[in-house]
Amino acid sequence: MVSRAKLALLTLALGALWNVPAQAQAPALPPAPPLAPGELENAKQIYFDRCAGCHGVLRKGATGPQLLPAKTRALTTPVLKAFIVNGTGGGMPDWGRQGILTDAESDLMARYIQHDPPTPPELGMAEMKKSWNLIIPPDKRPTKPEHDRDWQDFFAVTLRDAGQVAIIDGKTKEIVNTVKTGFAVHISRSSFSGRYVYTIGRDGRATMIDLWMKVPDKVAEVKPCSDARSIDTSKYKGKHGDFTDKLAVIGCYWPPQIIVLEGNTLEPLKVISSRSMTYDTMEYHPEPRVASIVASHFKPEWVINIKETGLIWLVDYSDLKNLKMTQIQGEKFLHDGGWDATKRYFMVAANMANKVVVIDVEKGKLEAIFESGIKPHPGRGANWIDPKFGPVNGTPHLGEGKVAVYGTDPAKHKEHAWKNVRELKTLGGGGLFIKTHPKSKNVWVDHALNGDPAIQKQVCVFEKANPEKDPKCWKVSDKGRAVHFEYNKAGDEVWISVWGKKDGKSEIVVYDDKTLQEKARIDDPRIITPTGKFNVYNTVKDIY
Ligand code: DHE
């Protein structure tokens, strides 16, 4: 095992090597180390589940560097294994230290990425339809809630390594049900009505959960891709018609495409490939992955971010047979984002470019692109009123300990719009999520991917009215990293996931947003590696 000090030195040296173009390295590369029979299939699955998201299915890189043989063989197995076990300060998780990969699996992966990447199978409509399972047809579902809980205050909580989503009652903190979903669900989104929760697993399995059932459970599921991160429904109602919940859309990492589905049953309807040219160098890209998706409130449109081409698509879903789409040139590699408070502007991080891209969805145009800091990672971001700069949004960063606060009101605060107006110092890099609520005095931020286990466990809270004041920071739990925040429907509680080891303990800690005092700990053994939490009321109304 390489010691941490040695690893630090190694990381520095590798930083240089890592940027040396493959052709400048020693000409004769050592052959790829052998894989025993059966190891290849296991390695492919682990790569898909754990690595493809950052490094790409074809290993061309994006949030993480490319991992092609010309580089990986030059680095050799022990060095690659050290990276996999210990992680790096720039966002690469410590898979070994976390216990997610065993020592043998880390060794296997270090050898596997020195081989040429296999191209996984494409998925067409015929295969998708085979995976579609309509468990309870719409006409057999409840016509009103079959329980007397406040389902609009339910939380859909990702239980990442359990391959489940827990439905938790926001008032009583009881686990109402744990629903079997895709592997490592990434996000959940609510239907326009809030009655249904749509989840998307990293393995591309989408699940539709009916909150009105006596015990909320899934009514439909489909697996239209083998690697995915985003899902949403149609949320427009207005002069162009009422499309609320008529359709759903899934964004895939592999195969690189979007799928439009029937909103009430998840029946696949249309596939649109995201393969095209990069916005800047106009090179063909074989694997432009679909990152964040949001549904416009102004038009029958989805805002769909294509990571590797740097294009933002505004897809008009009002007539699927004569599909209209606007392609906006943004920046590479588009990742996560959310609305400003008016829901007119969509801000998305191009984290490898250290930039935030702003789209005016009402006008259907690029509004601005600005540098926020090293690797911004906003989640859906957070909106509040700054005492000096008016309406602002904020994003933490993977690469440095700061929240960039930027203006979001070009109408009344033009001089502050789309530029950093403040930088709030946090405890260090690895910031993944930020959250606030219109009723709250506070802005919460995590350090979930910080390299220091002590900092990973801490959150900081800034006061909106006194942004220059040092934040209050504290350790949430010894059980794991503090990650992702969600308010309850009343907007007076903040729920934080404590993401422990997959075979260890995890929990969810609930704080009083006013006093910052702990109110509850949900540490039921069913709470396994919790990450994202989505309150129905806040998700329907895009409150953040
Ligand atoms: Fe995420 C949002 C992609 C790693 C937890 N993540 C997103 C979105 C994308 C994305 C495209 C926006 C979806 C949307 O809004 O439609 N995430 C990726 C990756 O490619 C990456 C870097 C590596 C991977 O293999 O997936 C990655 N993400 C992680 C994690 O390691 C996290 C912390 C835990 C996990 O599940 O593995 C994680 N990502 C989340 C969460 C959200 C998210 C909780 C939703 C935030 C929200 O509040 O909307």
Side-chain angles (χ1 to χ4, degrees):
M1 180 91 142
V2 179
S3 73
R4 283 168 60 84
K6 256 208 197 125
L7 182 80
L9 260 181
L10 219 45
T11 311
L12 272 178
L14 290 171
L17 183 65
W18 200 252
N19 297 316
V20 171
Q23 60 279 9
Q25 285 153 353
L29 282 168
L35 295 174
E39 278 194 320
L40 180 63
E41 284 318 307
N42 184 19
K44 273 202 279 192
Q45 190 58 50
I46 294 174
Y47 184 84
F48 231 54
D49 294 344
R50 305 289 179 195
C51 322
C54 284
H55 299 286
V57 171
L58 303 180
R59 298 205 326 241
K60 291 182 178 299
T63 318
Q66 57 113 321
L67 297 174
L68 296 172
K71 273 191 180 172
T72 52
R73 286 187 199 161
L75 291 174
T76 74
T77 305
V79 169
L80 294 166
K81 183 175 173 184
F83 269 114
I84 295 166
V85 171
N86 299 301
T88 67
M92 159 86 176
D94 46 348
W95 298 111
R97 244 192 349 215
Q98 281 188 60
I100 292 180
L101 293 184
T102 63
D103 191 63
E105 286 170 332
S106 303
D107 186 78
L108 167 60
M109 295 317 288
R111 286 180 284 124
Y112 171 69
I113 57 175
Q114 295 177 64
H115 289 258
D116 290 329
T119 306
E122 302 282 342
L123 259 177
M125 186 54 90
E127 291 90 346
M128 290 180 200
K129 291 252 179 183
K130 275 189 216 138
S131 75
W132 175 46
N133 177 12
L134 182 54
I135 303 161
I136 304 179
D139 60 349
K140 299 276 183 303
R141 296 174 196 163
T143 50
K144 58 184 181 7
E146 292 179 339
H147 53 75
D148 52 10
R149 294 174 186 268
D150 180 356
W151 55 275
Q152 290 186 324
D153 205 7
F154 281 174
F155 284 71
V157 179
T158 295
L159 303 179
R160 187 184 189 285
D161 291 308
Q164 295 172 333
V165 161
I167 303 295
I168 302 181
D169 183 323
K171 298 237 175 352
T172 67
K173 317 301 187 264
E174 287 167 304
I175 299 176
V176 183
N177 195 14
T178 53
V179 181
K180 187 118 193 57
T181 56
F183 169 77
V185 158
H186 214 72
I187 65 163
S188 296
R189 290 289 184 261
S190 290
S191 60
F192 179 81
S193 65
R195 167 183 179 172
Y196 295 107
V197 169
Y198 294 78
T199 83
I200 185 71
R202 252 187 176 67
D203 59 358
R205 179 174 300 282
T207 307
M208 187 178 170
I209 300 169
D210 186 353
L211 301 179
W212 282 10
M213 289 164 73
K214 188 162 182 50
V215 178
D217 209 331
K218 54 191 177 191
V219 291
E221 59 187 353
V222 66
K223 191 173 185 299
C225 32
S226 30
D227 198 2
R229 296 294 177 280
S230 47
I231 191 166
D232 210 334
T233 66
S234 47
K235 297 220 162 72
Y236 174 77
K237 183 174 180 178
K239 63 178 191 289
H240 304 295
D242 179 357
F243 291 90
T244 53
D245 296 339
K246 295 252 180 328
L247 299 168
V249 63
I250 292 172
C252 301
Y253 270 19
W254 187 269
Q257 57 198 29
I258 65 169
I259 292 94
V260 182
L261 311 109
E262 211 285 321
N264 224 354
T265 64
L266 291 185
E267 180 181 5
L269 300 175
K270 189 177 185 82
V271 185
I272 305 168
S273 173
S274 55
R275 286 180 171 125
S276 76
M277 320 314 271
T278 52
Y279 86 92
D280 48 0
T281 56
M282 289 298 155
E283 291 162 286
Y284 170 72
H285 199 293
E287 184 207 349
R289 295 173 292 166
V290 181
S292 45
I293 298 177
V294 287
S296 170
H297 296 258
F298 284 101
K299 298 176 191 164
E301 276 182 354
W302 288 305
V303 182
I304 298 187
N305 294 276
I306 316 293
K307 198 179 265 286
E308 280 77 11
T309 51
L311 292 170
I312 295 106
W313 291 359
L314 304 184
V315 176
D316 176 338
Y317 50 70
S318 59
D319 178 353
L320 293 181
K321 287 200 170 32
N322 304 287
L323 189 87
K324 288 200 286 291
M325 179 201 294
T326 305
Q327 276 196 359
I328 299 174
Q329 297 188 179
E331 181 51 274
K332 292 186 241 181
F333 300 93
L334 297 165
H335 192 69
D336 49 4
W339 295 109
D340 80 305
T342 69
K343 318 266 190 280
R344 168 173 176 175
Y345 297 102
F346 174 72
M347 295 85 75
V348 56
N351 41 36
M352 286 307 280
N354 301 333
K355 290 179 185 159
V356 175
V357 177
V358 185
I359 304 295
D360 179 341
V361 177
E362 200 180 292
K363 282 207 188 115
K365 284 190 173 335
L366 176 70
E367 168 81 4
I369 298 181
F370 65 96
E371 296 239 349
S372 73
I374 307 170
K375 289 192 183 175
H377 189 287
R380 281 169 291 165
N383 293 294
W384 69 93
I385 305 293
D386 181 277
K388 185 174 164 204
F389 301 110
V392 295
N393 193 294
T395 176
H397 291 76
L398 283 167
E400 59 182 315
K402 85 175 181 188
V403 169
V405 181
Y406 57 91
T408 60
D409 178 8
K412 294 198 195 96
H413 296 79
K414 190 172 176 52
E415 69 285 20
H416 306 314
W418 319 128
K419 57 172 79 81
N420 287 3
V421 291
R422 283 186 198 284
E423 303 200 338
L424 307 178
K425 236 172 128 21
T426 65
L427 298 176
L432 276 181
F433 297 109
I434 185 171
K435 189 69 82 178
T436 188
H437 187 283
K439 289 184 192 160
S440 171
K441 297 192 323 295
N442 301 316
V443 179
W444 297 66
V445 65
D446 69 21
H447 306 81
L449 289 192
N450 188 283
D452 178 342
I455 297 181
Q456 287 170 2
K457 297 185 173 80
Q458 298 195 49
V459 296
C460 288
V461 176
F462 293 90
E463 277 181 36
K464 292 177 186 173
N466 305 300
E468 276 94 9
K469 196 175 148 195
D470 285 347
K472 285 200 182 79
C473 304
W474 69 91
K475 178 175 67 177
V476 174
S477 162
D478 276 319
K479 291 178 182 169
R481 58 187 81 209
V483 64
H484 198 258
F485 309 92
E486 178 63 304
Y487 277 83
N488 61 341
K489 177 179 164 189
D492 58 13
E493 282 179 1
V494 177
W495 293 34
I496 303 179
S497 300
V498 175
W499 179 11
K501 296 194 180 221
K502 67 178 177 182
D503 50 1
K505 293 230 178 296
S506 292
E507 57 191 346
I508 293 167
V509 185
V510 180
Y511 288 94
D512 178 306
D513 178 61
K514 257 200 195 55
T515 64
L516 306 187
Q517 292 308 305
E518 181 180 319
K519 285 184 76 174
R521 263 177 207 247
I522 308 171
D523 54 7
D524 182 298
R526 289 173 288 174
I527 299 291
I528 301 167
T529 58
T531 50
K533 301 165 297 304
F534 303 89
N535 175 275
V536 171
Y537 183 80
N538 293 330
T539 308
V540 167
K541 299 212 179 285
D542 283 320
I543 293 176
Y544 41 80

